[in-house]
Amino acid sequence: LKASEGGGGKGIRKCANDEELRTGWEQVTNEVVGSPIFMMQLCTGARHLEVQLVGDEYGSVVALIGRDCSTQRRFQKIFEEGPPTIATKEDFREAEKAAQRLAMSVGYRGAGTVEYLYKPDSRGFYFLELNPRLQVEHPVTEGITGVNVPALQLQIGMGIPLQRVPDIRRFYGLDPDEASQIDFLNDAYVYPSTHVIAARVTAENPDDAFRPTSGRIERIRFQSTPNVWGYFSIGANGGIHEFADSQFGHIFASGPTREHARKALQIALKNISVVGEIRNPTEYLVELAETEEFKNNSIDTAWLDKLIAEKTIKMKCNANDMIFYAACLRAHLQVKEQQRKILDGIKKGHMPLQSNLKILQSFQVELAHESTKYNFQVSRTAQDAFALTIGETTLEARFREQPDGSLYVRCGDAVAQISGVEEPLCLRLRVEGQATITFPRIRDPSELRSDFNGKLVRYLHADGADIKEGEPFAELEAMKMIMSLRAGVSGKVHHTLGAGAIVAAGDLLATLDLADPSKVQTVKPFSGAFQLSKKGGRNAEAKKEVLDSLPSPTKDGMLSAVLCGFCASPELSKLGGVGIVQHIFKSHEDGAAEDQGMEVALDATCKLLGVFLENERFVASLVGGDETQTIQRFQGPPEELLSKILAHTALKESLHIVSSLLRSLSSNFALEGAISALPMDLVAKLTELRALPDAGGYGQVKLLAQQLLTQMNKPLGMRREDLRDTLLKSTRKDLLALANSHDAERRMYFGLDLISSLFSDEDQSVRSKAVEVYILRTYRGYTVQDVETVDAKDVVDKTPAAQLHLTWTFAPPGVQQKTQKGYAIVLPDMSAYESLVESWKIPAAPEITEIHILVAKVPSTSRKNSDESRVALCSAVSRTADMISSAAPMLDAKGCVVVNVMLAHAGHVPSYLHFHKASGWKEIPEYRNMRSTLPSLIELPQIQTEFTVSPLEHGRIFAMDFGVSKDKKTEVVFARAASHIAMGLDTLASSILSDLLTSCDFIERAMLDPVLENRHPAAKIFLHTLPPIPDTSPRDFRYLQVLFGSAVQQLMAESGSRVLKLRIAKIEVKVWVATSPPTALRLMAESSMGWEAVAFQETLDTLTGSPISFKNVETQEVCRSIEMLRQPVEEQRSSKRATARRAGSTYIYDFPALFRISLTKMWRAVGDEVPAKLVAAKELVLEGGELVEREQMGNNRVGMVVWQCTLVTPEYPEGRDIILIGNDVTTKAGSFGVEESEVFFKASELARKKGIPRIYIACNSGARIGGVEELKAMTQVEWNDKNDLLKGFKYLYISDDDFKKLPAQAVESHPETVNGQTRHVLDAIMGVGLPSTKGGVGVECLQGSGLIAGETSRAYDETFTLSYATGRSVGIGAYLNRLGQRNIQMVNGPMILTGADMLNKVLGQQVYTTLDQLGGPHIMVPNGVTHELVQNDQDGVEAILRWLSYVPENVLTIPPLISSKDPVARKVQFTPTKTPYDPRHMLGGVKVDGEWQGGFCDEGSFHEYLAGWGKSVVVGRGRLGGLPVGIVSVETRSVERHIPADPQETKSSDIIEVQAGQVWYPDSAYKTATAIRDFNRGEQLPLIIFANWRGFSGGTRDMFGEVLKYGSMIVDALVEYKQPVTIYIPPNGELRGGAWVVLDPKINIEQIEMFADVEARGGILEPPAAAEVLFKKDKHTVEMMHRCDDKLKELDARQAKGEDVAKDVKAREKLLLPVYQQVATQYCDLHDRAPRMKSVGVIREGLKWEESREYLHWRIRRRTQENSIARQLMRAVPNMSYATAMAAVTDLCKDVAAAAAAGGEDKAVALWIEEHPKEVQSRVETERHRATEEEIYKLVSSLPSSKRAEVVRDLVGYSRVAAQASA
């Protein structure tokens, strides 16, 4: 079938049978609508040859040879070539003539083509058609004839005869300049010497039967050569739509022969690159031109269709190579797309989810090829590298992306350039120079989808019809052609679209109900080894260039990649990070120079540490509260931030690598002199590592860096020769002084480590002196006598291995009655062990208790191999242990109990080993490397009776150990040290404080040890100062206790937060009083006792010197040693403290101690003596429904703890009461059960009744949730089908026997009998009467939550409420905080409604990674829930006390007035300017150019609250001359409001709203109202509002944001304010319009007074705007000009005379208008000044700013006192109005006021009221009595007259009886 108006393959179909004829008819009629259609017989085995004709108007027709277009698919040409060679020249000439005759017979003019079918076997030509147009392949003709056909057409159109056209004459071999006739039918042309082959470039998919494709084209790359050229109809960033023709390019190749042209075409096609969404067949055409049929020219028109159908043409490429490259491409595309999504989220303010970040590190890539599924596990091993694992094979690929988007991929030595795109149905891969191949997505066979873009023409089967495999089911129109789509399997079809629908590739067209699912071909996964070919895809030169640009990774490069968050490479995975580090430090193997190897290792270490710091520096800066502000705090581009976030996800691995680097650095270079020579840049990086925060996981590397830096300054080995010279010059009597010298006294270092290096000295004198100094220094603090060198012949001769023998006597500190004998033997080296065992004569002393074996020289191992060093040390220890074991009988015989072995290593610190008889003469590993006497001095053996100890760090005089109690319940870090520096009474406190701070340093470092990771042990400090304190006696015990207490209190005051952070629970200091013998005094303080100091006199064991009992210096109570260590209450609290720490808080029972510490700090700050008793806390327990006083000492079973505390504060030195309520997070996770709610309710109610502050410490997990535990084991299930549990169940039940065991109301059920057994089917579970439900498990807990929610709301109204959120506060806990209104929040104390894990489950993914995202400080501070943010619980308690300092002791009193160091008469020095300024400087003062400029408040007294919310308003509390005041001020500068993006809504974005200064916005208006309510309720603060507002923001956004509502709340808050309110418009401030309305004194005339500074302004509009109105838009301004300006007056006069001066008048007016507008503005401004405001009565007074402090202090002070009296009167006389009460107060003070000097009335009245409380109280009583009399009179008068006398008589009688009773 062929439509006559078709062409280019359109409108033509081959039909083999009736069915195809019907289908073909529909397709042809749709493709060429309205065209006549021919039906003709198909000619097979034919060639398509055509003759190019051109005719002129004179009847001539020339044949420009012709073309062979036999290579076709779907009757559309692919290759065209000329001249045709399949036909002989003679045969083709006849075809040309026939074509000429045809054209001449019809008078054809112009270009045209006569097409033939040619049968090579019969040499016959058969006419097809004449195309009356120029065809796209005309350049083939031009290439072989030299005739420019388009130009020839123009010439013909111009009327030029063919024979005169130069190109035609040249074609015939004639002179182009002549005009001879040409017989085009009979004259022969010159046969061409060139062959041309053309290829069409189309948007078709050769892998899918050349189906059309459409889409965007990014770029086309093609370069012409001398024998190849081409053109394209689409440029860069163009595209081909589904209704366009598929051809968009044409390539023409020429050569002397057909073969030359064919090869040139192949090369050209290989070098074409088309990047975009479409497919093109260029690679296919290369292979097509390589077929033998094409080479031999033995094709026909059906040849290509046959090849396509049979899929004969295949790309010549290795399948595994293509699969590998496809996996690389897909992995790269996935990473790019994931990065794009993450970066888009970051730009919107979304932190990337962990699940999304993991895709950037490791993921799967799936490919399908020829029924096999290839699952690659991809790991990104660097920014430009992947490791792909499949089956048994792992392949490493490095890549480099080119500007055009293609990738160079290197695997081994193979390199390929690849590109491609993910399409809806497949991945299309192009390997440059090889092939384009598609990898289809694995599809559901029941889904029939479109393979290309187009329009659905029709379905070929009815909906629900059966179709067979391979049968067409629908037709789509694409590229003006109708294409059939076939079903892949058999089944019943169901339509999903309607005819005419526009579809894209991959769209679902229909679904199938599979006829036989079992017959669907399955895709099998690949297994086994995956082999690549050896060849690469590039030429040798290009390959070398790419290989050079993609080098193999170095060892440090692999580690650097891991530090950046990438996966470990295969080599790194095999060796491990530590293995690679060791390889780096194996620097001089294989003959490398040692120095060079060391330099390489140091360079690599420096580089890697730099990478780690660069990645973590920013994240580490956020630790401590800003963790959720990663995006907001980062200043660089999102790409850089993503790299840091990705690196941080691998922090654990990074820390492992960095720790290994630091350990290797230490073990390889921390030797004699070596570490001091570290490069400066490496030292700088170590210093930065040391400065990393403790939290966040950095502790371990921080510790290692600190240790390394400490090692750098270690003097070991640095002054050995100087020490040797000193010993040579010293006599024996000098040795004791040298041994006892300490660091502060000496210029020479005499430490044991250095002294031991001289034991192998060649000089016997040096050796002997060195050993004696060693012994004397070891026993410092002991009494040492009779140090003698043993030279007895029997000892020397019978111990041939020894170089020296030494003996001495000694007694432990404090012991004089009994002495012990010590003995030291020096061995040259360890080889002497064997000889010593065989022959060892110990000196003939009766009993030697301690022996020291000093091995002078133990060979040191290579510093390049730490493993070797460890092995060598283990061997030495083992040999030593064997020797001691062999000598044990002899040691026992001599009465020896301790053997200390010192192994001196050349260049290293010595090793110290301890062997005790009590341990079976085995080494005590806990003491290893501790100096011999140190364990005893720091009482480590006593600790070991109760704890299993593990060393953390041991030094010369200190030991850090981790202890776990024998019952595993308690964990403690022990910091224990001995000091040999003498202290006097005058230096004792400062020395102890210094040592305590040093101990804190050690503890802080120890807490970073990996051993303590995820542990929260307490810490205990023990300091032992050995030199007796001079001039002391037992009379000084109490004084020493006081000095110690002073040091501890100073530590708490200065470092309380640090003590809390380090979890220090106990401090012990052991000192010696200078008696004879010295007396040991143990000074102790514990956190649980509020750090109060106690002192114990020790009784010592007369032999060992160990304490055996302790006598309390104050109480004289005696206890045993073991009781000092084991304190039952403290042990129990210790485990609870650990639980509280894990919750991020402090144990609730430790909070009173925190209050004590903070109060100490407050008292020290004011410079007064600290009172002895600062906190008295009475614990209240619920018993019988009421709170009773009872100390529980941590044995509480209810998770709510209450104290009534009396706090001795600087404001209330006599003490003030508060109710302290706190969750005990260690009891049922601090959840709110029924009992907890009841305790909370009663405590809060008590605070309300007493009118005292209620403080709530919030650390909880919300309302308690649970179940009836007893029923779990009883409950059984009735299944629908026991054999198939997935079918579900019918009900839950319990057996009859179990039912009978339960209380009556435990469950609600109904009985069912099954198989003769009674079941009780559960309808409801109540649990009444069962133990597990005690305290609540469900809704009863919620009811309790409702109870305390209501109570808290009432408490806020009636007393002062303040909440402190620490650890976490969940659900009702968060609501209680908000209902109490005032909140202090710890940075790690989120307030949330629902946990992150629960929300993530609801959302189905990990959206939230931390609770801070839901209720952390960066949520609760900006939204106004949190008033103040603190770093830790100690700071939190300080904030509580600071807030309380502004609050009166109860709701009936006024705020505390304290003496101020800042004189009230001081001038206010900081003056607000007309330009924007910081209002905090106005309130609190500021230092300018080094000089302090005082603000309005007392210096240091102003404290801002709610700083992060509503930033255009500043609120806080301060003091004015010692008087507490609440302050509201205005921000004059522009501020920003940040609204964070919602992590669960990916489309949300961060919003930054800019808010102008001096304007109320919804948030700042609400903040103002909130602050006013807070000041009024419970705080009773006088209020000062510094009013400098221009109005409210009235834009659409803010009106929608309810600015009107929140502005009205300001009025509401002021209306109900019960304290004096002062509105003050500051200098250069202004109050306008609506802002004035909400602050006007008439709102609350009883309490509000308004003042204005003499430089302030107030009015409706600002002067420029007012002038516009007042001067009628310059009308009156012009009138003023004419009235005031002489020139205009003159012009007006002239104009009145009739002169034409209008032009001059206008010019003058225009000139003067700006000046007179200023005059008008000034005129309006004069209306807004203080004098007018005062004259109309809207302000009380105009003030001068610098004098405002004193004036307002006395004014507010007077009003506060008067207001207080008025309130007392109103309470005394309930019906008295405020006005009446104030009238009585005025009357009370009238005489004082009248007598006051001018301007001093306020001061006089205030002072009189304060100094005459009795007169005030008398007046109150008088008014109360008068009111009572009036009330009695009214009541009696209201009685009937008959009753009045009787009642009066009874009252008189009652009065007489009462009077007698009182007498």
Side-chain angles (χ1 to χ4, degrees), residues 207 221 266-267 269-275 279-280 282-284 286-287 315-330 367 369 404-411 414-421 427-439 532-533 535-539:
D207 298 325
R221 189 190 69 200
Q266 285 183 301
I267 293 172
L269 290 171
K270 286 181 179 180
N271 288 324
I272 291 175
S273 174
V274 180
V275 179
R279 289 295 309 277
N280 71 85
T282 52
E283 292 96 343
Y284 187 93
V286 171
E287 299 301 325
M315 304 298 104
K316 293 181 179 178
C317 54
N318 181 279
N320 279 7
D321 287 356
M322 298 299 107
I323 293 166
F324 171 71
Y325 291 133
C328 290
L329 177 63
R330 179 163 278 177
L367 292 166
H369 183 66
D404 64 358
S406 64
L407 294 179
Y408 279 123
V409 179
R410 172 183 178 177
C411 183
V415 177
Q417 185 178 8
I418 66 172
S419 59
V421 65
L427 168 69
R428 173 157 48 93
L429 170 72
R430 174 179 169 83
V431 182
E432 294 291 331
Q434 294 190 42
T436 295
I437 187 170
T438 59
F439 295 87
L532 298 181
S533 67
K535 66 177 182 178
R538 309 289 300 170
N539 60 52

Side-chain angles (χ1 to χ4, degrees), residues 495-541:
H495 304 164
T496 58
L497 299 173
I502 303 300
V503 298
D507 284 357
L508 183 67
L509 302 178
T511 59
L512 281 178
D513 296 333
L514 301 181
D516 186 355
S518 65
K519 291 185 178 180
V520 176
Q521 184 180 7
T522 58
V523 181
K524 297 180 180 179
F526 174 86
S527 60
F530 187 87
Q531 298 294 330
L532 298 181
S533 67
K534 301 297 182 181
K535 66 177 182 178
R538 309 289 300 170
N539 60 52
E541 184 176 344

Side-chain angles (χ1 to χ4, degrees), residues 1537-1839:
R1537 179 185 179 219
H1538 173 229
I1539 304 173
D1542 187 349
Q1544 73 183 55
E1545 179 50 63
T1546 57
K1547 294 182 180 179
S1548 66
S1549 300
D1550 264 359
I1551 298 175
I1552 303 295
E1553 295 179 355
V1554 178
Q1555 297 180 337
Q1558 295 179 270
V1559 177
W1560 261 314
Y1561 291 86
D1563 57 344
S1564 54
Y1566 189 18
K1567 174 180 177 177
T1568 303
T1570 298
I1572 294 172
R1573 285 200 308 268
D1574 288 347
F1575 296 148
N1576 188 36
R1577 289 177 167 88
E1579 299 185 46
Q1580 290 93 258
L1581 287 176
L1583 170 62
I1584 303 178
I1585 299 178
F1586 289 93
N1588 186 10
W1589 282 279
R1590 292 181 287 120
F1592 288 86
S1593 174
T1596 301
R1597 181 188 68 191
D1598 296 319
M1599 289 299 288
F1600 181 79
E1602 304 176 276
V1603 67
L1604 195 60
K1605 179 174 74 175
Y1606 295 127
S1608 301
M1609 286 183 177
I1610 298 174
V1611 178
D1612 295 338
L1614 288 173
V1615 165
E1616 62 183 25
Y1617 211 83
K1618 300 295 191 293
Q1619 320 304 325
V1621 179
T1622 302
I1623 312 291
Y1624 181 24
I1625 309 175
N1628 297 310
E1630 54 185 324
L1631 190 60
R1632 306 279 179 189
W1636 183 295
V1637 171
V1638 301
L1639 296 177
D1640 190 83
K1642 296 293 185 183
I1643 290 172
N1644 185 346
I1645 198 169
E1646 294 175 348
Q1647 300 295 345
I1648 302 178
E1649 288 183 349
M1650 182 177 282
F1651 299 86
D1653 194 86
V1654 292
E1655 297 297 328
R1657 302 292 186 268
I1660 298 175
L1661 296 175
E1662 296 179 35
E1668 282 283 311
V1669 177
L1670 192 61
F1671 285 78
K1672 306 296 183 184
K1673 293 189 176 179
D1674 294 335
K1675 178 182 177 182
H1676 292 177
T1677 307
V1678 173
E1679 292 175 358
M1680 185 184 293
M1681 291 183 206
H1682 284 268
R1683 184 167 45 81
C1684 299
D1685 183 60
D1686 293 339
K1687 182 70 173 177
L1688 281 175
K1689 288 179 183 180
E1690 178 187 340
L1691 290 173
D1692 288 343
R1694 291 169 58 188
Q1695 191 175 39
K1697 295 177 181 179
E1699 294 185 31
D1700 184 10
V1701 294
K1703 188 175 181 180
D1704 294 338
V1705 170
K1706 288 291 183 185
R1708 184 66 176 173
E1709 287 175 351
K1710 183 177 180 181
L1711 176 66
L1712 296 180
L1713 184 61
V1715 177
Y1716 272 85
Q1717 284 176 337
Q1718 295 177 32
V1719 171
T1721 300
Q1722 177 72 1
Y1723 179 81
C1724 293
D1725 181 68
L1726 291 170
H1727 289 72
D1728 296 344
R1729 301 195 178 188
R1732 185 176 188 279
M1733 288 188 258
K1734 181 178 180 181
S1735 68
V1736 297
V1738 297
I1739 66 171
R1740 179 180 178 87
E1741 194 65 66
L1743 301 179
K1744 291 184 178 180
W1745 173 245
E1746 64 177 11
E1747 299 170 357
S1748 60
R1749 255 177 64 85
E1750 184 175 15
Y1751 177 87
L1752 289 179
H1753 166 81
W1754 291 111
R1755 182 63 192 160
I1756 295 171
R1757 187 165 168 180
R1758 172 188 178 177
R1759 294 182 64 209
T1760 301
Q1761 297 288 359
E1762 290 178 339
N1763 186 69
S1764 175
I1765 298 171
R1767 298 294 173 192
Q1768 292 180 51
L1769 288 169
M1770 292 169 68
R1771 287 193 295 272
V1773 184
N1775 294 327
M1776 180 179 285
S1777 68
Y1778 184 82
T1780 303
M1782 283 302 297
V1785 175
T1786 302
D1787 180 68
L1788 175 66
C1789 304
K1790 63 183 180 182
D1791 294 337
V1792 177
E1801 181 180 324
D1802 291 334
K1803 180 177 181 180
V1805 171
L1807 292 176
W1808 185 87
I1809 294 174
E1810 291 167 5
E1811 294 168 0
H1812 296 81
K1814 291 183 179 179
E1815 287 86 339
V1816 171
Q1817 193 60 38
S1818 174
R1819 181 58 180 266
V1820 172
E1821 287 299 310
T1822 300
E1823 290 295 329
R1824 186 172 65 82
H1825 295 161
R1826 182 187 58 77
T1828 302
E1829 291 171 3
E1830 289 180 358
E1831 186 65 23
I1832 292 173
Y1833 180 78
K1834 287 179 183 179
L1835 291 173
V1836 171
S1837 299
S1838 67
L1839 294 172

Side-chain angles (χ1 to χ4, degrees), residues 1115-1188:
T1115 66
Q1116 299 299 303
E1117 180 184 358
V1118 177
C1119 59
R1120 295 180 298 111
S1121 172
I1122 196 68
E1123 292 168 352
M1124 294 289 294
L1125 292 169
R1126 187 193 297 127
Q1127 298 178 24
V1129 173
E1130 193 57 32
E1131 280 192 11
Q1132 183 178 359
R1133 287 188 177 185
S1134 180
S1135 62
K1136 289 191 173 185
R1137 285 192 182 102
T1139 302
R1141 292 185 205 112
R1142 284 191 289 272
S1145 182
T1146 300
Y1147 182 41
I1148 188 62
Y1149 278 93
D1150 287 337
F1151 268 93
L1154 300 186
F1155 275 88
R1156 189 174 290 108
I1157 293 169
S1158 294
L1159 283 171
T1160 301
K1161 188 174 182 180
M1162 291 178 70
W1163 278 100
R1164 287 178 179 274
V1166 299
D1168 292 343
E1169 182 179 349
V1170 180
K1173 191 74 172 178
L1174 293 172
V1175 180
K1178 296 184 291 185
E1179 188 174 357
L1180 304 178
V1181 180
L1182 189 67
E1183 291 183 359
E1186 296 298 331
L1187 292 176
V1188 297

Side-chain angles (χ1 to χ4, degrees), residues 105-118:
S105 67
V106 298
Y108 189 83
R109 186 174 71 157
T113 304
V114 175
E115 298 183 0
Y116 293 100
L117 287 177
Y118 173 68

Side-chain angles (χ1 to χ4, degrees), residues 1309-1330:
S1309 63
H1310 64 272
E1312 280 198 12
T1313 302
V1314 178
N1315 297 328
Q1317 294 182 340
T1318 300
R1319 295 177 173 178
H1320 294 270
V1321 179
L1322 297 176
D1323 298 321
I1325 300 176
M1326 289 85 75
V1328 177
L1330 292 173

